[in-house]
């Protein structure tokens, strides 16, 4: 029987809340999982499809995104996202035309749109076959200007990712690349994925360290765990440092950043980490939006909520991830927050301060400047000259995480952005910005945190 993905289920079932739609799909006997590449038509288990036939002399085209004895495209796995429009398999093994569409997130009411830009899929039976991949709805993406200067990520083993030269036609709105894989299967993605399974591996590994406690704060709408890692002893007098990642699920570099920070923080031989844990306790949420990660979304959770617009008034019905994390913050306190993201357009690493919140003053500005300068000194991949600019006084949107928490706790609170493309100040041609560099940047930030700890209170 054909498998339907979770996005498709949500669109076909009565919507009495994302949780009930998801559970209803599971109860109906349909498999629950990430987006499939198949056409949304149920197939009878008793009547399998007839074999695909050649439709003309040169090309075998399949209405289900596959070809008999030819190239096959699929994204029916954790974090996968692509819809197949057409694949050609020439008999003379010339160029295979692979026509694709990105599947959108659910409608986000606050943003008034169905976000999309994230893609992740596998092409099989591709050894030494030249593929001309075309994403024909790239012009309808949430950030179409971001395709300029972008190169797609590719991998054979899902561990090492490299870049493939990519072109964007602004008139047609088509993103395209031509590639001849050197292995039978090749994975392509907007950025190197950090799947929900990888997240589970990370928190399982971290909890095995003596100074780490894993706490499940609650469930998401799809029934995934909301995980909080506490590193260090939570005793009176210690500074409370919070690090959140992956509010936007398609920004996978954010969790690689968190991974690098965590690995250094639990290293008992690292003097910076030892000194930090003497004076601080860290609260790290490596994946704020596990539903969106598993479903292959760009910016939203299962209900279509942009979590970084929910911090003023979160709810268990729409944004339980924010509701539960903010409640935990209220319980334990916050002396510093870093909310880690990825920026589709700007090819730089930078932080955004809380200029514009009502409590912003000279002391807050000096602390922000000190942290920024210390981060620049800690990593040549970080800079402070380019970013989003400075907000006018009293103009901050307090529904954003860093703004809400900075104002709520009168603390140093920043948004950190990493590029999807590369760091233009220090480019690396083969990989661009990569998981390896994200991890190193996360580890380096601990030096900057150490520099400001004495002034956090």
């Amino acid at each position: 029987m054909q498998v339907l993905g979770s996005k498709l289920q949500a669109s076909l079932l009565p919507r009495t809340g994302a949780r009930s739609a998801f559970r209803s799909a599971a109860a109906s006997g349909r498999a629950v999982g990430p987006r499939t590449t198949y056409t949304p038509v149920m197939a009878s288990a008793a009547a399998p499809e007839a074999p695909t036939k050649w439709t003309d002399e040169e090309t075998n085209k399949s209405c289900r995104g596959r070809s008999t004895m030819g190239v096959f495209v699929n994204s029916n796995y954790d974090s996968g996202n692509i819809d197949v429009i057409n694949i050609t398999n020439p008999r003379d093994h010339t160029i295979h035309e692979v026509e694709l569409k990105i599947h959108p997130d659910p409608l986000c009411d606050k943003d008034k749109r169905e976000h999309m830009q994230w893609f992740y899929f596998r092409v099989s039976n591709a050894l030494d076959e030249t593929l001309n991949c075309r994403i024909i709805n790239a012009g309808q993406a949430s950030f179409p200007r971001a395709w300029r200067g972008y190169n797609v990520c590719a991998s054979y083993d899902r561990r090492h990712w490299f870049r493939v030269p990519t072109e964007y036609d602004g008139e047609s709105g088509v993103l395209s690349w031509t590639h001849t894989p050197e292995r039978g299967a090749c994975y392509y993605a907007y950025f190197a994925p950090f799947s929900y399974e990888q997240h589970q591996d990370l928190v399982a590994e971290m909890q095995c360290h003596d100074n780490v406690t894993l706490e499940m704060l609650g469930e998401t709408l799809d029934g995934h765990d909301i995980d909080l890692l506490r590193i260090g002893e939570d005793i009176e007098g210690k500074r409370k440092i919070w690090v959140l990642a992956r509010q936007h699920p398609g920004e996978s570099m954010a969790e690689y950043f968190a991974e690098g920070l965590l690995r250094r923080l639990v290293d008992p031989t690292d003097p910076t980490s030892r000194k930090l844990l003497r004076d601080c306790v860290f609260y790290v949420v490596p994946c704020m939006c596990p539903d969106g990660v598993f479903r292959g979304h760009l910016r939203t959770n299962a209900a279509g909520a942009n979590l970084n617009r929910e911090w003023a008034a979160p709810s268990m019905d729409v944004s339980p991830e924010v509701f539960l994390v903010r409640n935990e913050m209220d319980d334990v306190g916050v002396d510093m927050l870093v909310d880690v993201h990825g920026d589709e357009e700007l090819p730089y690493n930078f932080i955004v301060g809380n200029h514009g919140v009502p409590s912003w003053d000279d002391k807050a500005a000096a602390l922000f400047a000190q942290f920024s300068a210390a981060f620049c000194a800690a990593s040549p991949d970080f800079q402070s000259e380019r970013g989003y600019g400075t907000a006018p006084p009293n103009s901050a949107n307090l529904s954003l995480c860093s703004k809400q928490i900075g104002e709520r706790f009168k603390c140093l609170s920043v948004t950190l952005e990493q590029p999807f493309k590369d760091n233009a100040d220090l480019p690396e041609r083969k990989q661009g910005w990569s998981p390896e560099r994200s991890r190193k940047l996360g580890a380096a930030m601990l030096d900057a945190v150490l520099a400001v700890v004495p002034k956090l209170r």
Side-chain angles (χ1 to χ4, degrees):
M1 184 176 71
Q2 182 178 327
V3 178
L4 287 180
S6 57
K7 289 177 186 160
L8 186 55
Q9 293 158 5
S11 67
L12 294 178
L13 294 167
R15 187 107 180 165
T16 56
R19 174 186 287 266
S20 63
F22 183 87
R23 295 277 165 83
S24 297
S28 72
R30 280 177 268 168
V32 174
R35 174 71 184 174
T36 178
T37 57
Y38 297 135
T39 304
V41 178
M42 292 296 291
S44 170
E49 295 176 17
T52 306
K53 298 180 179 179
W54 296 105
T55 56
D56 57 42
E57 184 175 348
E58 295 295 329
T59 306
N60 174 23
K61 299 179 180 179
S62 168
C63 66
R64 293 191 178 276
R66 65 180 301 175
S67 303
T68 302
M69 301 299 291
V71 166
F72 179 78
V73 172
N74 194 14
S75 66
N76 189 28
Y77 43 75
D78 184 354
S79 300
N81 183 322
I82 208 68
D83 288 336
V84 178
I85 305 305
N86 187 54
I87 302 172
T88 65
N89 281 285
R91 293 189 178 188
D92 58 1
H93 295 276
T94 54
I95 295 178
H96 299 258
E97 300 293 337
V98 182
E99 198 168 88
L100 309 164
K101 276 188 175 182
I102 300 172
H103 192 85
D105 297 2
L107 176 66
C108 179
D109 290 334
K110 290 186 178 178
D111 294 348
K112 307 299 182 187
R113 68 172 305 160
E114 294 178 335
H115 285 291
M116 69 166 184
Q117 196 128 5
W118 174 260
F119 59 88
Y120 173 33
F121 60 91
R122 189 178 91 162
V123 181
S124 302
N125 302 333
L127 175 63
D128 294 333
E129 301 285 349
T130 299
L131 311 173
N132 183 28
C133 298
R134 301 171 70 250
I135 297 180
I136 63 173
N137 65 341
Q140 301 166 35
S142 298
F143 306 99
R145 291 188 304 177
W147 299 126
R148 301 290 185 190
Y150 166 79
N151 290 316
V152 70
C153 295
S155 177
Y156 299 120
D157 60 6
R158 298 197 296 178
R159 292 180 177 86
H160 175 78
W161 291 82
F162 57 93
R163 300 283 179 156
V164 175
T166 304
E167 295 182 355
Y168 176 65
D169 186 332
E171 291 188 7
S172 64
V174 173
L175 184 78
S176 62
W177 64 93
T178 299
H179 183 227
T180 304
E182 298 175 359
R183 299 290 186 274
C186 188
Y187 296 84
Y188 300 101
Y190 185 35
F191 191 81
F194 198 112
S195 68
Y196 182 62
E197 183 69 20
Q198 286 175 268
H199 164 76
Q200 291 177 303
D201 288 342
L202 176 62
V203 296
E205 175 192 340
M206 287 298 122
Q207 74 163 342
C208 294
H209 293 271
D210 291 338
N211 61 346
V212 178
T213 301
L214 171 61
E215 181 180 356
M216 175 193 167
L217 299 180
E219 274 193 332
T220 65
L221 297 173
D222 279 354
H224 291 121
D225 298 338
I226 302 172
D227 293 321
L228 170 68
L229 292 168
R230 187 179 73 238
I231 304 93
E233 285 188 272
D234 187 2
I235 59 178
E236 189 174 354
K238 282 193 171 185
R239 276 77 166 180
K240 313 293 178 63
I241 314 296
W242 283 79
V243 179
L244 310 183
R246 217 82 187 271
Q247 286 204 79
H248 295 146
E251 297 164 9
S252 52
M253 65 285 291
E255 194 156 3
Y256 285 112
F257 179 101
E259 180 186 13
L261 179 145
L262 286 165
R263 292 195 187 284
R264 185 181 183 190
L265 202 53
V266 299
D267 181 357
T269 68
D270 189 289
T272 296
S273 298
R274 289 172 63 86
K275 189 171 183 180
L276 279 170
L277 294 178
R278 184 191 68 184
D279 300 328
C280 308
V281 56
F282 281 74
Y283 298 86
V284 181
V285 183
C287 184
M288 280 288 296
C289 192
D291 290 356
V293 169
F294 187 78
R295 288 167 169 244
H297 289 183
L298 175 72
R299 287 179 76 81
T300 68
N301 71 356
N306 178 346
L307 296 186
N308 203 28
R309 301 297 183 272
E310 293 287 321
W311 285 82
S315 72
M316 286 297 291
D317 289 335
V318 175
S319 51
E321 304 90 344
V322 176
F323 184 91
L324 293 166
V325 170
R326 201 186 74 171
N327 280 358
E328 187 73 11
M329 290 177 167
D330 288 340
D331 287 344
V332 305
V334 182
D335 292 304
M336 179 178 180
L337 166 76
V338 180
D339 179 26
V340 188
H341 287 261
D343 185 272
E344 288 81 359
E345 294 187 31
L346 296 179
Y348 303 102
N349 291 292
F350 58 95
I351 55 174
V352 184
N354 270 359
H355 313 74
V357 302
S359 63
W360 184 261
D361 56 17
D362 290 343
K363 181 180 178 181
L367 186 57
F368 173 79
Q370 182 183 356
F371 177 65
S372 181
F375 205 163
C376 287
S379 174
D381 263 330
F382 184 81
Q383 57 82 48
S384 60
E385 295 181 0
R386 303 170 188 84
Y388 293 156
T390 301
N394 297 309
S395 65
N397 180 357
L398 295 183
S399 69
L400 274 68
C401 175
S402 63
K403 312 301 183 187
Q404 173 65 214
I405 299 307
E407 182 64 18
R408 196 180 191 90
F409 294 95
K410 307 298 186 287
C411 67
L412 175 61
S413 181
V414 303
T415 301
L416 186 146
E417 298 283 356
Q418 300 172 83
F420 275 84
K421 300 174 185 176
D422 199 353
N423 173 12
D425 288 338
L426 201 61
E428 201 285 315
R429 183 181 59 83
K430 292 183 179 180
Q431 287 189 282
W433 193 248
S434 64
E436 294 84 355
R437 295 171 76 184
S438 292
R439 293 188 192 103
K440 290 182 184 298
L441 190 67
M445 192 188 75
L446 292 177
D447 293 314
V449 175
L450 182 61
V452 300
V453 163
K455 296 186 177 180
L456 291 180
R457 290 184 185 170

